[in-house]
Amino acid sequence: MALRHLGKKGIQASFKRGLVLPRVAASTETHVSSMFLKSTSQSVAFSFARYINGFGFSSPNHQSSPTLTSIRYFHASRETLARRKEDPDRPLSHRELKKQTVKTKGKFSKREKKTDKPPVEAPYVPPRLQRLAKGLAEKTVDVFEGMTLLEFSKRTGESLAVLQSILLNVGETVSSEFDAISIDVAELLAMEIGINVRRQHTTEGSQILPRPPVVTVMGHVDHGKTSLLDALRNTSVAAREAGGITQHVGAFVVGMPDSGTSITFLDTPGHAAFSEMRARGAAVTDIVVLVVAADDGVMPQTLEAIAHARSANVPIVVAINKCDKPGANPERVKNQLAAEGIELEDIGGNVQVVEVSAMKSTGLDKLEEALLLEAVDMDLKARVEGPAQAYVVEARLDKGRGPLATIIVKAGTLVSGHHVVIGSQWGRLRAIRDMAGKQTDRATPAMPVEIEGLKGLPMAGDDVIVVESEERAKMLSEGRKRKYERDRLLKADEARIAEAEKKEAESEEGFVRVELPIIVKSDVQGTAQAVADALRTLNSPQVFVNIVHSGVGAVSHSDLERAQACGACIVAFNVKGGGSGNLSATQASVKVFHHRVIYHLLEDIGNLIVEKAPGISELEVAGEAEVLSIFKVLGKRRSEEDGVSIAGCKVMDGRVCRSGMMRLLRSGEVVFEGSCASLKREKQDVEQVGKGNECGLVMGEWNDFRVGDVIQCMEAVIRKPKFVSSESGAVRIEC
């Protein structure tokens, strides 16, 4: 009753003053709890419970009662407080209840911070990778002289602010988005933002005149293309070609004596390795003359020439050559062409067919008439005035004159002294020569000429554009070089990734692929590209042909140093080899292959690939032996289980070797495979037994021989790839 008389205020005052000793506090805690639980007065119990709930006394050496887990300990140790906070069954305090209530109050609730970490229970999903810019298709826009900056912005999708900043960086000033920009500046802007351009030249206000047709002669190798052109221009170019086959693109003008007009001819090689050169000829031509030998018929390169002509959307005139030979059959050739979808005039089509003979010069007048008739139907005209547009047919490097390019003018007039940009190269035209080597001051449409004065060697197939000044030519050339370098690096990265993935897949399958680095040097740029492409077709699962460098000119010391650094061999096609160069190559231990005929070149490189290939290890049957009798040899225990069975055999085919893997066949099924433990002939150990001889053979861990069993001896052999060359000239490596 004393505690009841103490009252609420007295206990509270004692708490605040800290007058309660630890020992008294412990006893008072128990007494107060028991009195509170046994009290019958609800009002006193409610007020007292509300006061002391969550309060109590403790000491570092005193453990709280398990029945009073809601009591708060003011003087508890850190360990006791930590245990209390970690207890999940404890009731929440007034402050914690208030926080929990605040969290559930609608829009005034306190939101938890979101984290990017996934929950522990859910599996981690990596973020989705964004598509790279190089994976997107390159955009191409049409540009023309005098277009405004606003129109260029609409076509490219780039903002005006970005375009104006690029113009300031290159030194061009545009006051308004409605100002006109030149076609060169438009191309420069497009290159800076990574967009391809297609130049469009207007003919408004220009004089349009008829021009001679450009005719490309195509067909299979050795079907008489160059001989036919020799008969037309009364020369003998075919006799000067190495190996009797054309390996370059030739351009020349032939005057027709009957009509007095002229025709520009392009002679393309017919070998399978020069597919790109034939494609370039079809891209610049107006008419394709398809030459087919009457005694040979339609061949693979004939079909390829038809495909190139169809892709370029140019008409075809068929010339059936070698009609004077005894085995000529023009009707069979016509049937073969009709089967390939060529609609000949004989069957109601629109493709003209002319039977000619280059050796006897027969039918040439009919061929001339067919070409001129086709040109009249096409109504070929071109712009004569204004800056020239031209196309590079071939490019080569001359010691005294420098880089030279053979071009065909498509429109306009090319004048000596103009500044031109060809691909990524530029220069001021120092001289213009026709195909006869005579110097001229200008070149008109459909006229093939050779120009000199370039700073570098262009690529075959590049377009020739004329610019107004040297500064503009340098600026455009540097911009193109940067773009070409970006494209080259992207292609190199893609090729390296693809090659790494292929090597990884091959390593998983157990294949070993070696690399054959090659440096290609040729007399002209187009032939160098064609040779490099032909060598890449010799890739095989075992050998990877890597074209390290491709260039024009003789083999130099820098080429030898590059080959020695990367362990490459050098392919010199149709270039002269000096004595000092050969001596340097021998000293540097670099293989140099000098060739003038593409057949021999591909054959030598194919044999080198076969030699360098590691080969595939395979098991093959070296010999077979038949079991004629069985001998039992007992062991030390004199039991059959401890004994050894010896198969008395006779070699029926091949040979049986002790080091080989033995395979036991019974009724055509493999019963056991294992090594040979012993091989004897006439009681002597031997390494092998030949055909027709008898022997005793013991196979490891096998004693169940039966008369009539067949024992095969398996040997591991290295299977090398094969170099295969077809009649059409196509080559490949078979593994």
Side-chain angles (χ1 to χ4, degrees), residues 502-519:
K502 192 171 184 180
K503 284 184 178 180
E504 185 178 356
E506 290 172 352
S507 61
E508 293 177 357
E509 296 177 1
F511 290 107
V512 178
R513 196 181 193 193
V514 297
E515 181 182 354
L516 178 61
I518 297 177
I519 295 175

Side-chain angles (χ1 to χ4, degrees), residues 310-426:
R310 286 175 174 172
S311 63
N313 196 20
V314 294
I316 298 176
V317 174
V318 178
I320 302 179
N321 195 16
K322 301 184 181 181
C323 292
D324 58 319
K325 301 187 76 171
N329 190 356
E331 295 299 325
R332 180 174 66 93
V333 174
K334 294 179 181 179
N335 294 333
Q336 291 177 344
L337 292 173
E340 297 298 332
I342 302 296
E343 299 176 355
L344 306 178
E345 283 187 343
D346 297 348
I347 58 176
N350 55 359
V351 177
Q352 303 180 69
V353 182
V354 182
E355 298 180 7
V356 298
S357 173
M359 297 300 296
K360 295 185 177 181
S361 299
T362 58
L364 300 182
D365 53 346
K366 295 182 180 179
L367 179 60
E368 173 191 349
E369 182 182 353
L371 293 176
L372 294 178
L373 181 61
E374 194 73 37
V376 170
D377 292 341
M378 297 178 67
D379 192 20
L380 300 174
K381 294 182 179 181
R383 172 179 54 86
V384 180
E385 300 175 351
Q389 297 173 250
Y391 182 88
V392 178
V393 177
E394 197 60 272
R396 63 188 179 94
L397 193 63
D398 188 84
K399 279 188 176 181
R401 299 160 60 191
L404 304 176
T406 301
I407 65 173
I408 291 182
V409 180
K410 295 187 289 186
T413 302
L414 187 65
V415 182
S416 180
H418 278 175
H419 291 88
V420 296
V421 178
I422 307 177
S424 61
Q425 306 297 334
W426 71 279

Side-chain angles (χ1 to χ4, degrees), residues 422-712:
I422 307 177
S424 61
Q425 306 297 334
W426 71 279
R428 183 178 180 273
L429 297 184
R430 188 167 57 246
I432 301 177
R433 289 181 172 85
D434 58 12
M435 290 295 98
K438 184 179 179 181
Q439 188 167 346
T440 180
D441 58 346
R442 62 184 57 239
T444 54
M447 181 177 178
V449 293
E450 187 179 62
I451 60 175
E452 61 177 277
L454 302 176
K455 301 299 180 181
L457 193 67
M459 302 293 290
D462 289 341
D463 288 327
V464 181
I465 61 173
V466 179
V467 295
E468 57 185 13
S469 63
E470 181 179 346
E471 290 76 12
R472 184 63 56 82
K474 288 182 179 180
M475 182 175 60
L476 203 57
S477 173
E478 291 174 358
R480 289 185 175 186
K481 285 181 180 179
R482 289 195 298 269
K483 185 179 183 302
Y484 291 164
E485 185 66 18
R486 289 197 301 266
D487 296 343
R488 187 188 67 82
L489 292 177
L490 287 177
K491 291 180 180 179
D493 291 341
E494 293 175 358
R496 184 167 56 251
I497 292 173
E499 184 65 24
E501 293 176 353
K502 192 171 184 180
K503 284 184 178 180
E504 185 178 356
E506 290 172 352
S507 61
E508 293 177 357
E509 296 177 1
F511 290 107
V512 178
R513 196 181 193 193
V514 297
E515 181 182 354
L516 178 61
I518 297 177
I519 295 175
V520 178
K521 298 301 291 289
S522 181
D523 55 343
V524 294
Q525 184 68 45
T527 305
Q529 296 177 23
V531 171
D533 294 338
L535 293 177
R536 289 190 184 97
T537 60
L538 297 178
N539 279 328
S540 67
Q542 299 185 28
V543 178
F544 168 63
V545 178
N546 182 19
I547 305 300
V548 179
H549 174 69
S550 177
V552 176
V555 179
S556 61
H557 289 283
S558 61
D559 297 326
L560 295 175
E561 292 175 357
R562 184 184 289 111
Q564 188 177 13
C566 62
C569 62
I570 299 177
V571 172
F573 186 75
N574 208 14
V575 296
K576 296 180 181 180
S580 60
N582 295 335
L583 181 61
S584 301
T586 304
Q587 294 176 352
S589 301
V590 176
K591 288 185 178 181
V592 180
F593 297 91
H594 287 276
H595 287 284
R596 298 188 65 193
V597 182
I598 191 67
Y599 295 111
H600 304 155
L601 169 64
L602 296 179
E603 185 178 354
D604 277 2
I605 299 300
N607 294 331
L608 179 63
I609 290 175
V610 171
E611 178 185 351
K612 197 175 182 63
I616 300 175
S617 179
E618 296 180 353
L619 288 176
E620 68 175 10
V621 179
E624 289 186 352
E626 184 180 357
V627 179
L628 303 179
S629 59
I630 302 170
F631 304 95
K632 296 285 186 179
V633 178
L634 301 179
K636 295 180 180 180
R637 301 179 182 177
R638 298 293 178 177
S639 62
E640 294 185 0
E641 298 178 356
D642 192 30
V644 177
S645 296
I646 301 175
C649 308
K650 183 178 181 179
V651 180
M652 309 303 295
D653 187 20
R655 68 182 188 278
V656 176
C657 302
R658 183 176 180 179
S659 59
M661 179 69 66
M662 300 300 170
R663 178 186 294 172
L664 181 64
L665 302 179
R666 183 172 297 166
S667 300
E669 297 182 358
V670 179
V671 180
F672 177 76
E673 288 185 356
S675 60
C676 178
S678 176
L679 180 65
K680 291 189 177 184
R681 171 170 167 76
E682 296 179 355
K683 298 182 180 181
Q684 293 183 356
D685 292 329
V686 292
E687 291 297 327
Q688 66 178 13
V689 179
K691 180 181 179 180
N693 298 321
E694 296 181 352
C695 62
L697 188 145
V698 177
M699 296 178 63
E701 300 180 359
W702 184 261
N703 294 323
D704 187 16
F705 292 105
R706 295 182 186 178
V707 176
D709 289 349
V710 177
I711 299 177
Q712 292 182 343

Side-chain angles (χ1 to χ4, degrees), residues 114-172:
K114 294 183 179 180
T115 59
D116 296 335
K117 296 181 180 179
V120 180
E121 295 81 4
Y124 177 69
V125 179
R128 188 176 181 180
L129 296 177
Q130 296 181 355
R131 185 169 57 174
L132 299 177
K134 67 179 182 180
L136 300 175
E138 291 187 355
K139 186 177 180 180
T140 303
V141 297
D142 294 333
V143 295
F144 53 89
E145 188 72 31
M147 69 183 306
T148 63
L149 187 63
L150 180 60
E151 185 174 359
F152 182 82
S153 174
K154 290 180 180 180
R155 295 195 177 196
T156 58
E158 195 66 46
S159 63
L160 290 171
V162 174
L163 297 178
Q164 289 176 352
S165 63
I166 296 175
L167 288 175
L168 290 176
N169 291 334
V170 298
E172 298 287 338

Side-chain angles (χ1 to χ4, degrees), residues 177-317:
E177 62 267 20
F178 300 103
D179 291 350
I181 58 176
S182 65
I183 190 171
D184 301 329
V185 174
E187 182 180 351
L188 187 63
L189 286 174
M191 287 188 297
E192 290 295 330
I193 61 179
I195 295 178
N196 296 329
V197 296
R198 186 167 45 245
R199 288 175 168 246
Q200 301 292 339
H201 294 271
T202 180
T203 58
E204 184 178 355
S206 302
Q207 187 179 7
I208 307 299
L209 297 177
R211 64 171 177 84
V214 179
V215 179
T216 301
V217 182
M218 304 177 72
H220 192 71
V221 63
D222 200 24
H223 275 201
K225 300 181 296 297
T226 306
S227 300
L228 182 61
L229 292 177
D230 290 344
L232 288 172
R233 60 179 178 172
N234 298 322
T235 58
S236 182
V237 177
R240 299 195 301 267
E241 292 284 355
I245 61 173
T246 303
Q247 300 177 124
H248 303 85
V249 174
F252 45 86
V253 179
V254 176
M256 297 300 172
D258 297 339
S259 61
T261 58
S262 62
I263 298 177
T264 300
F265 282 98
L266 288 180
D267 186 14
T268 61
H271 192 270
F274 302 107
S275 176
E276 291 296 328
M277 301 176 73
R278 288 190 292 274
R280 289 198 301 270
V284 73
T285 190
D286 299 319
I287 306 171
V288 168
V289 174
L290 184 64
V291 179
V292 186
D295 60 340
D296 202 5
V298 176
M299 299 298 287
Q301 268 63 61
T302 309
L303 301 178
E304 183 189 301
I306 295 174
H308 287 318
R310 286 175 174 172
S311 63
N313 196 20
V314 294
I316 298 176
V317 174

